Amino acid sequence: MAAATEEVEPGPRQTEKQKKNKKKAAPVDESELLTVPDGWKEPAFTREDNPKGLLEESSFATLFPKYREAYLKECWPLVQKALGEHYVNAALDLIEGSMTVTTTKKTFDPYAIIRARDLIKLLARSVPFEQAVRILQDDVACDIIKIGSLVRKRETFIKRRARLLGPKGSTLKALELLTNCYIMVQGNTVSALGPFSGLKEVRKVVLDTMKNIHPIYNIKTLMIKRELAKDPELRTQSWERFLPKFKRKNLKKRKEPKKKNTKKEYTPFPPPQPESQIDKELASGEYFLKERQKKRKKMEEIKAKQADAIKKRQEERNKAFIPPKEKPAVKTKKASTEKKIDIEAIKEKVKNAKKKKLGALPEEEVKLKMAADEKKKKKKK
């Protein structure tokens, strides 16, 4: 054991090899190892990778709602054709309302059945076939987010789901552009289809929206991240300094109760014992009265209460007959007849009017007309 632990001194040949290896090994940046080179794609899985095929047959089935029956009937030949390329069988049962996918002897890709399962799940969640068939590609994945149980009240759930869509679907469109994913909001689920990095962001935004965080905040951060990703120098650095930090301003204040219970001062002595009915009667002297006298006293009290009630009712009725207070009459000022009328001026006007003929022009206008006629005659001569 001791001999095994002893280090053997390297020979001259071994030292030369080590020197050559040291020269060959150039320093490599960690950033290059962490990042994937641009344009690189994982090679496709072919029959050469698995020539013997699969050992066991596996299948998946999923139910679909009644309103999807007509659409699935139409596009089912296309689904069978798309899955046939991957040697996967597809069956549609309209009686049970289910879709089933199974592998065959020719199936060589073991992950093809998982993609086929996701395809029928997306079709059941109202995703159109044109988008759902993309799941069969290698670089595309899907995520079905259940949002029905995240909010208790149905009204708040509908409001937050509408907030995720935005006005005329603008918020959803912005999310699709930023994450490169197709998003479908249907009922109690959100179906997303796209690259893995985009699906991660979509899930975060959807869950935050259901937690009453507006999606516009997450959209802003995604836009900033998109711009930062273009800079190669910032790839290895932390982006926390660039990202906005939003604080909740509208904090819910606790509603103050109408009846505030104030704590009484502590006393070592117990509270006084409440008086019983017998004690009250003894204090007032009713206890020693006979039954007839007690009944008579009660009747008198009842009659007194009734009399008060009748009196109040009568007062309320009499209020309608009380006339309202009249406003004091305002004295009108007499029209002043002290203005003097000029009788002579009126007489002159009447005389002038009599001289004039009906429809006749005034004297000034007649003179002007005469002068104009004379000028015309001269010109003609």
Side-chain angles (χ1 to χ4, degrees):
M1 290 295 287
T5 54
E6 286 177 5
E7 290 183 3
V8 182
E9 287 183 9
R13 287 182 183 178
Q14 200 172 354
T15 51
E16 283 173 11
K17 282 179 183 178
Q18 283 176 352
K19 285 176 184 178
K20 283 178 182 178
N21 289 336
K22 282 178 183 178
K23 285 178 183 178
K24 284 178 183 178
V28 181
D29 292 335
E30 287 183 2
S31 60
E32 289 180 10
L33 295 168
L34 292 167
T35 54
V36 179
D38 295 330
W40 182 85
K41 279 187 179 181
E42 195 176 347
F45 194 87
T46 55
R47 187 173 282 281
E48 292 171 6
D49 297 319
N50 188 17
K52 292 180 181 180
L54 305 175
L55 293 169
E56 291 288 332
E57 185 185 290
S58 54
S59 64
F60 288 101
T62 186
L63 299 169
F64 60 86
K66 186 75 176 173
Y67 61 84
R68 291 290 290 168
E69 191 178 315
Y71 179 78
L72 290 169
K73 232 184 207 179
E74 285 179 16
C75 72
W76 197 249
L78 297 168
V79 174
Q80 286 178 324
K81 190 182 176 183
L83 291 173
E85 291 173 7
H86 297 269
Y87 303 103
V88 177
N89 283 338
L92 179 69
D93 192 347
L94 296 171
I95 297 160
E96 286 184 8
S98 65
M99 294 179 279
T100 315
V101 286
T102 52
T103 54
T104 58
K105 289 180 180 180
K106 289 183 180 180
T107 310
F108 61 88
D109 188 358
Y111 201 72
I113 189 67
I114 304 296
R115 285 183 186 141
R117 178 202 66 183
D118 292 340
L119 173 65
I120 58 171
K121 269 188 182 180
L122 290 167
L123 288 168
R125 295 312 310 146
S126 299
V127 177
F129 171 75
E130 290 78 14
Q131 293 291 339
V133 78
R134 285 171 55 211
I135 197 69
L136 300 172
Q137 297 171 14
D138 287 337
D139 56 343
V140 178
C142 77
D143 190 8
I144 296 164
I145 308 152
K146 291 177 182 178
I147 57 171
S149 59
L150 296 173
V151 184
R152 285 183 183 179
K153 289 183 181 179
R154 185 70 183 168
E155 290 175 2
T156 51
F157 168 73
I158 291 160
K159 281 180 184 177
R160 287 175 191 181
R161 187 179 64 181
R163 197 183 290 170
L164 186 66
L165 292 165
K168 296 179 182 178
S170 58
T171 309
L172 199 72
K173 190 71 183 172
L175 267 174
E176 286 180 351
L177 290 167
L178 289 165
T179 56
N180 296 322
C181 292
Y182 173 81
I183 305 163
M184 182 72 185
V185 181
Q186 177 69 22
N188 294 336
T189 56
V190 178
S191 307
L193 185 79
F196 291 99
S197 58
L199 292 174
K200 192 180 174 183
E201 295 293 342
V202 169
R203 179 170 271 275
K204 185 180 176 294
V205 173
V206 170
L207 293 175
D208 282 353
T209 307
M210 289 294 124
K211 288 174 187 174
N212 203 18
I213 298 165
H214 204 280
I216 196 70
Y217 299 124
N218 286 311
I219 286 165
K220 278 184 180 180
T221 52
L222 285 170
M223 286 170 79
I224 293 160
K225 280 180 182 178
R226 196 180 188 183
E227 292 299 317
L228 291 168
K230 291 175 184 178
D231 194 351
E233 292 178 4
L234 294 168
R235 279 184 181 178
T236 54
Q237 294 178 17
S238 178
W239 292 351
E240 284 183 9
R241 54 188 174 155
F242 301 109
L243 299 175
K245 291 174 183 177
F246 301 106
K247 291 179 182 178
R248 293 187 87 181
K249 289 181 181 178
N250 299 334
L251 294 168
K252 284 185 178 179
K253 291 180 180 178
R254 185 176 170 272
K255 288 181 179 179
E256 292 182 358
K258 289 178 181 179
K259 292 179 181 178
K260 289 182 180 179
N261 297 326
T262 53
K263 287 184 178 181
K264 293 174 182 177
E265 291 181 7
Y266 174 74
T267 52
F269 307 105
Q273 195 172 357
E275 288 184 348
S276 64
Q277 189 68 25
I278 296 163
D279 291 336
K280 287 175 183 177
E281 285 178 0
L282 284 165
S284 61
E286 286 179 24
Y287 185 78
F288 303 103
L289 295 170
K290 291 177 182 178
E291 284 185 11
R292 284 181 184 179
Q293 289 173 335
K294 283 179 182 179
K295 282 181 180 178
R296 197 187 299 156
K297 199 175 183 183
K298 278 184 181 178
M299 286 299 291
E300 284 173 3
E301 284 176 2
I302 290 161
K303 281 178 182 179
K305 282 181 181 178
Q306 283 176 354
D308 288 336
I310 290 160
K311 195 180 179 182
K312 282 180 182 177
R313 216 177 293 139
Q314 197 64 38
E315 282 176 1
E316 284 178 4
R317 283 175 184 173
N318 291 337
K319 279 180 184 177
F321 300 104
I322 296 164
K325 289 180 181 179
E326 292 182 358
K327 291 178 181 179
V330 181
K331 291 179 180 179
T332 52
K333 290 179 181 180
K334 290 180 180 180
S336 59
T337 54
E338 293 177 1
K339 287 183 180 179
K340 291 179 181 180
I341 299 161
D342 196 356
I343 296 162
E344 291 179 2
I346 293 164
K347 283 179 180 179
E348 282 180 9
K349 281 183 181 178
V350 172
K351 282 179 183 179
N352 292 331
K354 282 179 180 179
K355 286 177 183 178
K356 285 181 183 178
K357 292 177 183 178
L358 286 168
L361 294 167
E363 289 179 6
E364 291 177 1
E365 288 185 13
V366 171
K367 286 177 182 179
L368 289 166
K369 211 171 187 182
M370 291 283 285
D373 289 336
E374 284 176 6
K375 282 180 182 178
K376 282 179 183 179
K377 282 177 183 180
K378 285 177 183 180
K379 281 179 182 179
K380 283 178 183 180
K381 287 176 182 180

